[in-house]
Amino acid sequence: MGPAQSYTFDRIPYTLSWRENPIFNETYAGRPDVVSVEGMFYRPEASAPKSDVVLIYMHPSGLTNHLPITSAMPKRGVPVICAASRYPRNDSALIMEKVAIDMGAHVRYAKETLGFKYVILSGWSGGGSLSLFYQSEAEDPSITHTPAGDEVNLKDAGFMPADGVIQQACHVSRALILTEWMDPSIRNEFDPDDRDASLDLFNPEIVPPYTQDFLTRYRAAQVARSKRIDAYCWDMLEKLKKNPRGEMERCFVVHGTKADPGWFDLTVDPNDRAAVDPQGKPGEVNVSPAGLGRYSSLRSWLSQWSHANSRANGPVCAARVRVPAIVIENSADDACMPSHPRRIYEGFGRTENLEKHVVKGATHFYRDQPVQLAQSVDIVIDWLRRRNFLDA
């Protein structure tokens, strides 16, 4: 087989806007009653075969237009939309139910304005659980309020279901992965120096490989910490209801969110990833300003990060999805370890068209990995053709 045909492509920006009536302003600048989301349409050159299908890549807060995978697909003739939510690069007030509304606007744009017959939600990384959350509500709508009790009616939103779902280098949800990364040694949310040394991965006396007893206690303490933050959020929301100044929301810092034992002990959720020394940079990253979920509002925590309350749970949402789906695992991924794609794959219960593939040696971003990136693209294109979304 010769080399695959390569095409150039145009990047065509677009903006979608609509009216909403929020109870307070939750995004920076602009009119509070107007939502605007941006997208980038990657259109292969005119010489490429006409395509009836477009892939939508969307992350809750990240931008996907600079990922290797989003440029690799249109180079092979497959149109791509890099969709952004109303919370680009700032998830401190992010509400997952509203991100689903934003995704719905992009799906409708792809179908009704761009005229594509088929729309595939290509969930990469944090976009995996988002795409499953949206598709489950598009096929089987049920949500009328956020976890905090604010009205956000997805049941009557009129979501257009996508025609297929790709789960690629994806994790099970933002809430579950944050819990798995959370530092359970922190005992006081307002004093991160107050630590339980017996649970501190960066304590020189705690070294990998970790015992099963330690891991069991560690994971339980992570969930317990998440529940303590839940309790703080519920309590503060109740206090704000009685606040005579009319304050409706409060923000806070979540310290220590980069402490997954699997980064330092390769026997934990094993794959081909490289081990990391816990006494090096990871200790700094654990408390850095740019850590996962570092800044949050009360409502955002409950919707986006809460282990017990967030609805955007990938495997749970997958159980409600009927359209064809494919799960692609990168075997050297250190962000989305193998238990995540496995849980998502096992979560699908209604679709009869389900596949799982592994790209050997691929890391999360395919950085400096053109061979693995090409293999991943080949898997997607072959799946699209066999499901008749793309002409052979």
Side-chain angles (χ1 to χ4, degrees), residues 132-289:
L132 293 173
F133 182 45
Y134 170 83
Q135 185 66 17
S136 65
E137 283 298 303
E139 293 189 31
D140 182 23
S142 62
I143 292 173
T144 58
H145 293 78
T146 70
D150 302 319
E151 183 177 357
V152 55
N153 195 346
L154 305 189
K155 191 172 182 178
D156 297 325
F159 287 166
M160 300 181 73
D163 301 284
V165 175
I166 298 170
Q167 298 284 288
Q168 187 166 15
C170 54
H171 56 68
V172 286
S173 80
R174 286 166 81 71
L176 296 179
I177 201 168
L178 176 70
T179 306
E180 293 180 5
W181 290 9
M182 188 173 283
D183 186 344
S185 72
I186 294 176
R187 293 182 291 207
N188 184 344
E189 295 301 324
F190 302 99
D191 181 8
D193 292 325
D194 181 0
R195 292 174 178 265
D196 180 347
S198 71
L199 288 171
D200 188 353
L201 286 188
F202 309 103
N203 178 351
E205 296 181 4
I206 298 178
V207 295
Y210 308 118
T211 66
Q212 188 56 54
D213 286 345
F214 172 80
L215 290 171
T216 298
R217 191 163 66 93
Y218 193 91
R219 294 303 191 194
Q222 288 177 311
V223 174
R225 185 182 170 203
S226 178
K227 290 181 178 179
R228 289 198 302 271
I229 299 174
D230 287 351
Y232 165 78
C233 291
W234 292 121
D235 181 62
M236 186 56 65
L237 284 170
E238 284 301 312
K239 289 180 179 178
L240 291 178
K241 289 179 182 178
K242 304 171 185 176
N243 190 330
R245 294 178 299 183
E247 186 180 0
M248 301 187 68
E249 185 59 288
R250 187 69 58 86
C251 297
F252 60 98
V253 178
V254 183
H255 300 279
T257 59
K258 277 292 187 80
D260 189 337
W263 293 325
F264 316 123
D265 183 350
L266 297 184
T267 68
V268 177
D269 212 348
N271 66 359
D272 301 325
R273 66 186 182 275
V276 179
D277 180 3
Q279 302 309 316
K281 289 284 186 183
E284 299 175 17
V285 174
N286 185 43
V287 295
S288 72

Side-chain angles (χ1 to χ4, degrees), residues 52-54 56 100-101 103-112 116-122 130-141 154-155 157-165 320-324 389:
D52 289 329
V53 68
V54 64
I56 294 183
I101 291 173
M103 175 169 268
H106 290 289
V107 172
R108 187 170 295 277
Y109 178 78
K111 289 250 186 184
E112 294 185 345
F116 284 101
K117 183 177 180 180
Y118 305 115
V119 170
I120 307 297
L121 302 182
S122 196
L130 168 61
S131 62
L132 293 173
F133 182 45
Y134 170 83
Q135 185 66 17
S136 65
E137 283 298 303
E139 293 189 31
D140 182 23
L154 305 189
K155 191 172 182 178
F159 287 166
M160 300 181 73
D163 301 284
V165 175
R320 297 160 59 199
V321 170
R322 293 182 175 87
V323 296
F389 294 127

Side-chain angles (χ1 to χ4, degrees), residues 353-374:
N353 300 302
L354 176 63
E355 298 180 15
K356 186 174 185 292
H357 298 263
V358 177
V359 181
K360 186 70 174 175
T363 59
H364 191 62
F365 291 98
Y366 303 102
R367 186 172 289 119
D368 299 321
Q369 292 190 312
V371 173
Q372 287 85 353
L373 177 61

